[in-house]
């Protein structure tokens, strides 16, 4: 079945720097790609979603890149601030069963003031 | 806007005990999910339900039962709590085909003594 690897597990950056998180997946049928943010004591909040026909998407300081050839999904936070400190998860699902979303293990991002 | 309410927020149980977690949503969403979140392991799907009285097993269903009594509520039962078990159980719902519209509750944190 689908395997999703996310790295790094922990990331510390200084305020104003960029934070880069990457996920790789194994199933070439994967069609839907997501990034979620989880703040302490809260559930997951969708940051961005990308469908397989999109290579790049930018929104409000976030850039998602999708490389289907290498089966790689990345999230770049430009100019991070302390409020961005949270756990970030990538997630994927395929065309056959969008109900079964596979999550990465998460990246603990700490933005230092 | 809608909300997903999980109760209780914290649950402490004894080894071997049957424990029930509850989830309510007022989005009028058709599909609801239960995920288990362990530190360093991401989210794993336990059960999901695409409509009232429907139940579908996820990858981690062994040791759990679920019940979709009505469209707005989805409960999860740990059939026999394991000693020293600690995890967060997240309920989610979505109203469409793709998981883009996944909304999460804030979780129930389980500790088994």
């Amino acid at each position: 079945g689908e395997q999703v690897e996310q790295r790094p597990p922990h990331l510390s950056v200084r305020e104003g720097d960029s934070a880069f998180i990457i996920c790789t997946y194994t199933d070439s049928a994967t069609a839907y790609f997501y990034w979620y943010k989880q703040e302490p004591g809260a559930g997951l909040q969708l940051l961005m979603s990308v469908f397989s026909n999109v290579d790049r998407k930018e929104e409000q300081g976030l850039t998602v890149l999708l490389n289907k050839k290498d089966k790689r999904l990345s999230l770049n936070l430009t100019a991070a601030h302390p409020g961005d400190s949270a756990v970030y998860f990538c997630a994927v699902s395929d065309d056959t069963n969008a109900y079964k979303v596979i999550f990465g293990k998460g990246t603990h991002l700490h933005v230092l003031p | 806007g809608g909300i997903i309410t999980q109760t209780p927020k914290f649950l402490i149980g004894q080894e071997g005990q049957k424990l029930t977690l509850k989830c309510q949503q007022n989005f009028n969403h058709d599909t609801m999910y239960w995920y288990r979140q362990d530190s360093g392991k991401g989210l794993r799907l336990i059960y999901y339900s695409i409509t009232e009285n429907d139940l579908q097993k996820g990858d981690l269903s062994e040791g759990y039962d679920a019940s979709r009594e009505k469209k707005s509520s989805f409960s999860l039962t740990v059939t026999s709590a394991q000693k020293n078990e600690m995890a967060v159980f997240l309920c989610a719902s979505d109203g469409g085909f793709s998981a883009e519209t996944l909304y999460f509750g804030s979780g129930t944190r389980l500790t088994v003594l």
Side-chain angles (χ1 to χ4, degrees), chain A residues 32 34 36 38 41-46 49 51 57 87 89 93-106 108, chain B residues 9 31 33 35 37 40-43 45 48 50 57-59 90 94 96-107 109:
Chain A
Y32 303 93
Y34 314 90
Y36 286 88
Q38 184 181 33
L44 277 68
Q45 176 189 2
L46 181 69
S49 61
F51 297 143
K57 187 173 181 180
V87 182
F89 292 93
S93 66
D94 64 26
D95 266 336
T96 60
N97 191 346
Y99 298 119
K100 288 195 176 182
V101 177
I102 307 298
F103 287 82
K105 293 182 180 180
H108 290 253
Chain B
K9 197 167 178 66
T31 310
Y33 307 78
Y35 287 93
Q37 182 178 18
K41 291 187 179 178
L43 276 70
L45 182 65
Y48 66 101
I50 61 176
K57 291 184 178 181
D59 297 324
L90 292 171
D94 85 58
F97 172 74
S98 83
E100 177 174 3
T101 51
L102 264 179
Y103 292 88
F104 282 84
S106 58
R109 184 173 296 275

Side-chain angles (χ1 to χ4, degrees), chain A:
Chain A
E2 174 83 271
Q3 303 284 326
V4 176
E5 297 291 330
Q6 182 173 345
R7 61 181 192 273
H10 298 276
L11 179 60
S12 289
V13 301
R14 294 218 169 268
E15 185 172 7
D17 288 348
S18 293
F20 187 76
I21 304 170
I22 191 166
C23 285
T24 56
Y25 59 96
T26 56
D27 189 348
S28 57
T30 302
Y32 303 93
F33 305 87
Y34 314 90
W35 284 100
Y36 286 88
K37 177 183 181 182
Q38 184 181 33
E39 295 180 340
L44 277 68
Q45 176 189 2
L46 181 69
L47 287 176
M48 289 178 72
S49 61
V50 175
F51 297 143
S52 59
N53 60 348
V54 173
D55 296 329
R56 181 188 182 100
K57 187 173 181 180
E58 293 185 49
E59 275 181 13
Q60 298 178 323
L62 301 173
T63 301
V64 171
L65 297 176
L66 175 61
N67 183 326
K68 290 206 74 178
K69 174 175 170 291
D70 295 338
K71 298 190 184 71
R72 189 171 63 233
L73 174 74
S74 67
L75 174 70
N76 191 48
L77 288 81
T78 54
H81 56 85
D84 292 327
S85 297
V87 182
Y88 291 79
F89 292 93
C90 64
V92 305
S93 66
D94 64 26
D95 266 336
T96 60
N97 191 346
Y99 298 119
K100 288 195 176 182
V101 177
I102 307 298
F103 287 82
K105 293 182 180 180
T107 295
H108 290 253
L109 173 65
H110 186 43
V111 183
L112 303 166

Side-chain angles (χ1 to χ4, degrees), chain B residues 42-67:
Chain B
L43 276 70
R44 292 179 288 175
L45 182 65
I46 306 172
Y47 269 98
Y48 66 101
S49 166
I50 61 176
T51 189
E52 183 178 336
N53 294 318
D54 174 74
L55 287 177
Q56 306 285 339
K57 291 184 178 181
D59 297 324
L60 204 67
S61 60
E62 189 171 337
Y64 301 94
D65 288 328
S67 175

